[in-house]
Amino acid sequence: MTYDLVAPCYFGTESSASFDFKRIGAENVTVTDGRISFRGDESVIAAANLATRCTERILILLKRFPARTFDELFDGVNAIHWEELMPKDAEFPVKGSSLSSTLSSVPACQSIVKKAIVERMKVGHHTNFLPESGQLYKLRFSIRKDMAEVFLDTSGDGLHKRGYRANATEAPIKETLAATIVDLARVRTDSLVQDPFCGSGTMIIEAAQKAMRIAPGLQRRFLAEHYSFMEPGQWRQAREKALSEIQRDVAFEGRGFDIDPRAVELANRNAKLAGVGNKCKFFVADVADFMPDSRSIMLTNPPYGERLGDLEMAAKLEKTLGERLRINPVSGSYIITSDAEFEQNFGKKAAKRRKLYNGMIPCQVYMYY
Ligand SMILES: C[S@@+](CC[C@H](N)C(=O)[O-])C[C@H]1O[C@@H](n2cnc3c(N)ncnc32)[C@H](O)[C@@H]1O
């Protein structure tokens, strides 16, 4: 069966993030603000969860319909063939959001959506009792400008949870965001990538996994593996294919540095867990001693004033980084920070900037070529 699928992604990175979907054989791949829409069967759902790097989850779009009243919302949701998607003991929590719409109360919409599903399930499964004691099915709805969309989440935990970073340093960057920056920097199989503020190593590890074609989801499970309408064989095949595509002998090299020895220890451990330990090395070093190779691409996420230390310390580190790069120029630098003064402190205007969110923090990626 073919499904309409949606993958939310970072605003402004839709086109580059969409390449992964074309690569896995998704059809009708289109991008709009903050999302990639595509079509595909169960094998595409499995591959999208396993192998795409920059999106947070893969959703099946079950229905799209106008919803200006609670009745319209109820009827639209109730018309979905829920009994074919979920067994009668399924547990099905509903989450949602509403923006610029007449139905603005999310809790009220949530209970209408839930009620509409319950009523449909009771009729469809010929029962008066839904124990919700079985397999978890996560449902989402979104109402935008009076248009409702109802989704079934196939990922479960966000796709940034790769499985290699059980522990992180104080202010880790999300793996999906790091992968997005890796894309912006056009990391290749033979790139040398360096990060002078590596923390738990996320930037370097994501770059290495991309260079080695290691599917980011290989070490984790996905909610839809247990969905009754998906065959377990699809997931096994997708995993086997992903494993067969790994290129262990690429020339890629990653080097990370951090002043905190615990961060360096963690980064080395995470790299091993991520299957890139032989391509990535992490060292204890102060940015004041950073001597990057001239061939390298620098990807980094320096301390932000908000969360680590104070703004003055962050400004000083940015200045030091700028000085080190003037002495040791690199082939490209990609720096993500929330510090609006970054370019002044760093001492150079970026060739290009891109707005992105690190969690809830608005940031910019400053790009120098
Ligand atoms: C925002 S965190 C980087 C997080 C990292 N991207 C990750 O995913 O875990 C900034 C890092 O800079 C490190 N740091 C702070 N001062 C430093 C200095 N003078 N030289 C090198 N690293 C420093 C901190 O120890 C911290 O790990």
Side-chain angles (χ1 to χ4, degrees):
M1 179 160 163
T2 307
Y3 299 88
D4 286 319
L5 300 157
V6 167
C9 66
Y10 291 99
F11 277 83
T13 66
E14 299 85 355
S15 299
S16 60
S18 71
F19 286 124
D20 273 351
F21 291 85
K22 291 176 185 151
R23 194 173 47 77
I24 61 164
E27 286 166 19
N28 297 2
V29 181
T30 54
V31 297
T32 44
D33 278 355
R35 72 156 58 169
I36 297 161
S37 304
F38 56 107
R39 281 178 66 75
D41 60 10
E42 286 88 352
S43 70
V44 170
I45 294 178
N49 274 294
L50 267 170
T52 60
R53 293 179 198 282
C54 305
T55 58
E56 195 50 25
R57 56 188 65 255
I58 308 297
L59 304 166
I60 300 176
L61 174 61
L62 299 171
K63 198 168 175 187
R64 189 163 198 272
F65 55 95
R68 272 164 247 96
T69 64
F70 287 132
D71 281 347
E72 280 181 339
L73 182 61
F74 184 96
D75 291 345
V77 174
N78 189 256
I80 297 169
H81 297 244
W82 293 105
E83 67 282 5
E84 290 170 16
L85 290 166
M86 303 193 286
K88 67 176 168 208
D89 65 348
E91 181 189 352
F92 50 100
V94 177
K95 263 194 184 174
S97 62
S98 167
L99 203 74
S100 317
S101 297
T102 316
L103 298 178
S104 57
S105 161
V106 173
C109 293
Q110 216 162 331
S111 55
I112 294 287
V113 171
K114 181 87 185 186
K115 193 160 181 261
I117 303 170
V118 166
E119 294 309 318
R120 173 82 195 210
M121 287 279 281
K122 280 186 183 166
V123 175
H125 283 298
H126 311 290
T127 178
N128 264 327
F129 177 56
L130 300 172
E132 294 212 38
S133 55
Q135 177 56 45
L136 177 65
Y137 287 70
K138 282 193 178 172
L139 305 173
R140 289 173 181 260
F141 67 87
S142 127
I143 309 176
R144 299 276 179 278
K145 294 188 180 158
D146 295 331
M147 189 58 81
E149 290 180 319
V150 182
F151 303 102
L152 177 59
D153 182 356
T154 70
S155 305
D157 280 342
L159 295 180
H160 71 277
K161 294 200 176 165
R162 316 290 209 202
Y164 67 74
R165 202 174 73 180
N167 298 307
T169 48
E170 231 172 306
I173 189 168
K174 249 188 177 182
E175 294 83 340
T176 39
L177 180 54
T180 300
I181 297 164
V182 167
D183 264 2
L184 291 175
R186 302 186 180 193
V187 169
R188 304 268 181 255
T189 52
D190 59 352
S191 297
L192 167 59
V193 175
Q194 303 200 291
D195 179 353
F197 300 105
C198 69
S200 52
T202 320
M203 290 276 203
I204 298 286
I205 293 170
E206 289 295 324
Q209 283 204 330
K210 175 162 189 188
M212 294 173 74
R213 310 264 190 276
I214 297 179
L218 267 174
Q219 294 185 27
R220 56 161 281 172
R221 295 279 164 184
F222 307 93
L223 207 51
E225 289 184 53
H226 307 285
Y227 286 176
S228 51
F229 60 91
M230 283 209 59
E231 260 183 60
Q234 302 280 9
W235 294 91
R236 200 187 52 245
Q237 277 167 23
R239 284 202 169 83
E240 282 167 6
K241 183 164 183 292
L243 280 169
S244 73
E245 286 172 354
I246 295 177
Q247 296 181 10
R248 297 204 183 276
D249 53 358
V250 296
F252 175 90
E253 221 186 299
R255 290 181 210 150
F257 308 88
D258 201 288
I259 201 159
D260 179 356
R262 284 168 311 163
V264 170
E265 196 186 318
L266 201 59
N268 275 314
R269 198 162 67 217
N270 288 344
K272 274 194 201 111
L273 286 174
V276 297
N278 61 338
K279 294 285 171 193
C280 305
K281 295 285 169 282
F282 299 92
F283 309 91
V284 178
D286 190 322
V287 66
D289 302 319
F290 186 43
M291 289 213 295
D293 191 294
S294 61
R295 293 168 300 139
S296 66
I297 302 172
M298 189 197 69
L299 310 180
T300 201
N301 163 217
Y304 297 167
E306 287 97 330
R307 286 200 285 179
L308 285 175
D310 57 15
L311 284 163
E312 254 174 52
M313 192 256 308
K316 213 170 138 223
L317 291 173
E318 289 164 359
K319 186 165 179 274
T320 307
L321 180 63
E323 286 164 3
R324 296 310 298 164
L325 289 167
R326 269 189 291 286
I327 303 169
N328 307 283
V330 292
S331 77
S333 298
Y334 298 77
I335 302 138
I336 179 164
T337 176
S338 63
D339 183 1
E341 310 281 300
F342 174 78
E343 286 170 312
Q344 273 132 282
N345 299 331
F346 184 71
K348 194 173 174 188
K349 238 181 144 27
K352 217 170 164 187
R353 285 191 272 164
R354 179 69 58 86
K355 272 191 198 156
L356 287 175
Y357 274 82
N358 186 9
M360 298 301 284
I361 306 172
C363 291
Q364 302 233 39
V365 185
Y366 295 88
M367 303 182 226
Y368 299 85
Y369 321 115

